[in-house]
Amino acid sequence: MSYKNFPMVPRVIFGRGSFNQLNEIIAPKRLNINAPFIYLIDDVFKNEPWLISRISLSYDDKIMYISSKEEPKTSQVDDLVEDIILNTKERPSGIIGIGGGSMLDLAKAVSIMLTNKGKSHEYQGWDLVKNPAIYHIGIPTISGTGAEVSRTTVLTGPEKKLGINSDFTPFDQVILDPELTKDVPKSQWFYTGMDCFIHCVESLNGTYLNAFSKSYGEMAFNMCKDIFLNDNLSTEEAQDNLMMASWHGGMSIVYSQVGVAHAMSYGLSYLLGTKHGIGNCIVFNHLEAFYPEGVKLFKSMVAKHNIELPKGICADLSDTDFDIMIAVALGLEPLWENALGSNWKKIMTPKKLKLLYQKL
Ligand code: NAD
Ligand code: ZN
């Protein structure tokens, strides 16, 4: 048996107000005055001077505001890379992603594609990237996805929704400043937070589980229970803890995998554009057969926070639509193997999966 040798984020700074140290962190990483830092920032912050005014641009540094209305696409990555190549004198000194999972994934993908030939969809999969990415920093502004720590950047391409999983994907630096999450709308806080909770349930109940994943997964799972079910934390403590739970949840799946909810949610996202957090919630709500304890807890969290999950989202779909979703979902073999074991194909047939999708 040979064990995988995973890279990790080599540098991380944590603390309320740590974002203020961004400028001093990047200064030594500037290659020269013609090699700018490019900021990819969620456009929700466009008119938010409390955040933007703390970024000091030098030389040709540039902020690109990007909408996270839709999740990152390979074509979007390719357009951004082309724009950067055409408008910079030299290859950038670094890419800095500021936002939720969408911006973090875009920053990772752009930094990879600036040093690798061709189109980003060619790298969707495992270990296809040849050259190291340029220096990239992730600064989450909403907690839950674990994208700040993971080895993947999830992209929707012409044929599939699949990550670029590679040793060059993880950030070189992460800044964890929980204060940046202060204005996240409640429903989004819940959906993205539940992404973390679901990562833990899927990891802790998977066949790939091992002590590495279990220790991180249990830590994040308990923090989520505390944040979403108990009333013992202050607002600040809850923000701090959710940011760390996201990190630990991400660490847990480094050495295991996610499961049924994620596989099905990828199918929804590919066909209907359903976003990751809410998509996971819509699916997970119906997975008591696979994750009885986790779903029970989830339902009490939904009730406690008065969250209205959308219903009937597959009501008007055609057979062809179902086939597309089923193909995307069943294509994610490691997720099913983790969830159901090596015989998973016998357990989760296309027919059974269709019945599950029809429940949503
Ligand atoms: P997101 O980045 O799509 O953002 C969700 C919403 O929250 C957006 O409207 C955004 O504008 C808003 N927002 C973010 N920060 C805010 C703030 N501080 N104040 C106010 N509004 C704010 O959401 P997400 O759930 O963090 O990320 C989802 C994406 O992450 C998906 O594309 C998914 O595929 C990806 N993902 C990646 C990984 C990975 O390991 N790479 C893991 C899980 C999910
Ligand atoms: Zn997820």
Side-chain angles (χ1 to χ4, degrees), residues 144-146 192 194-196 198-199 202 253 258 262 265-266 276-277 280:
T145 65
T192 301
M194 283 302 107
D195 190 22
C196 174
I198 296 169
H199 289 159
E202 292 184 323
I253 43 181
V258 283
H262 274 75
S265 164
Y266 274 37
H276 188 75
N280 281 351

Side-chain angles (χ1 to χ4, degrees), residues 17-324:
S18 59
F19 181 66
N20 291 337
Q21 286 167 247
L22 172 63
N23 301 312
E24 67 187 72
I25 288 171
I26 62 173
K29 300 290 176 186
R30 189 181 295 280
L31 299 172
N32 65 62
I33 60 169
N34 291 325
F37 283 101
I38 309 288
Y39 294 81
L40 306 182
I41 304 183
D42 191 307
D43 66 5
V44 77
F45 297 114
K46 202 166 184 173
N47 299 310
E48 299 289 356
W50 65 269
L51 186 131
I52 302 302
S53 68
R54 290 194 265 164
I55 298 172
S56 71
L57 300 179
S58 308
Y59 309 107
D60 295 337
D61 293 353
K62 189 171 158 185
I63 292 179
M64 298 171 94
Y65 288 108
I66 297 171
S67 164
S68 57
K69 219 169 177 167
E70 292 182 358
E71 295 192 342
K73 295 190 176 55
T74 52
S75 56
Q76 184 185 13
V77 171
D78 297 336
D79 290 348
L80 280 168
V81 169
E82 190 175 306
D83 185 313
I84 292 170
I85 291 172
L86 288 177
N87 292 297
T88 51
K89 294 177 192 132
E90 281 183 28
R91 190 180 271 177
S93 294
I95 303 291
I96 299 160
I98 304 180
S102 301
M103 290 309 118
L104 300 181
D105 279 357
L106 275 178
K108 289 172 172 182
V110 165
S111 68
I112 288 171
M113 292 312 298
L114 281 165
T115 55
N116 286 277
K117 280 194 286 208
K119 301 281 185 196
S120 51
H121 71 83
E122 296 163 36
Y123 296 95
Q124 282 181 289
W126 279 269
D127 301 306
L128 303 171
V129 179
K130 304 213 169 34
N131 304 314
I134 65 167
Y135 179 74
H136 49 302
I137 302 187
I139 309 178
T141 63
I142 178 170
S143 302
T145 65
E148 64 279 12
V149 74
S150 77
R151 187 181 177 266
T152 189
T153 156
V154 183
L155 302 174
T156 301
E159 281 157 24
K160 54 197 167 204
K161 180 175 178 185
L162 184 62
I164 300 180
N165 298 264
S166 85
D167 281 355
F168 306 121
T169 309
F171 287 111
D172 297 293
Q173 168 82 56
V174 169
I175 296 181
L176 297 178
D177 182 345
E179 222 167 61
L180 304 185
T181 66
K182 66 184 176 63
D183 299 328
V184 171
K186 171 148 185 214
S187 56
Q188 191 63 53
W189 163 80
F190 186 83
Y191 295 138
T192 301
M194 283 302 107
D195 190 22
C196 174
F197 179 71
I198 296 169
H199 289 159
C200 298
V201 173
E202 292 184 323
S203 171
L204 292 171
N205 292 284
T207 61
Y208 290 2
L209 192 64
N210 52 71
F212 184 104
S213 295
K214 189 163 180 270
S215 52
Y216 286 109
E218 281 174 349
M219 213 166 7
F221 181 81
N222 288 328
M223 290 169 101
C224 285
K225 276 205 299 193
D226 220 21
I227 294 160
F228 291 99
L229 285 176
N230 295 336
D231 297 310
N232 56 340
L233 299 174
S234 68
T235 306
E236 284 78 16
E237 281 170 336
Q239 289 166 356
D240 292 7
N241 286 6
L242 190 54
M243 194 161 263
M244 286 322 298
S246 175
W247 181 276
H248 297 323
M251 286 298 293
S252 178
I253 43 181
V254 163
Y255 237 110
S256 69
Q257 252 303 347
V258 283
V260 181
H262 274 75
M264 289 184 65
S265 164
Y266 274 37
L268 284 181
S269 163
Y270 185 81
L271 184 78
L272 303 173
T274 315
K275 294 195 69 180
H276 188 75
I278 192 169
N280 281 351
C281 287
I282 294 170
V283 174
F284 196 66
N285 200 32
H286 294 278
L287 295 185
E288 46 275 90
F290 303 94
Y291 307 109
E293 280 306 305
V295 174
K296 204 166 138 201
L297 282 172
F298 170 78
K299 289 194 173 179
S300 43
M301 292 173 183
V302 170
K304 182 171 168 66
H305 296 286
N306 299 315
I307 302 293
E308 280 279 332
L309 291 175
K311 289 199 180 77
I313 62 164
C314 293
D316 300 324
L317 298 185
S318 67
D319 284 345
T320 319
D321 289 336
F322 279 111
D323 289 346
I324 292 170

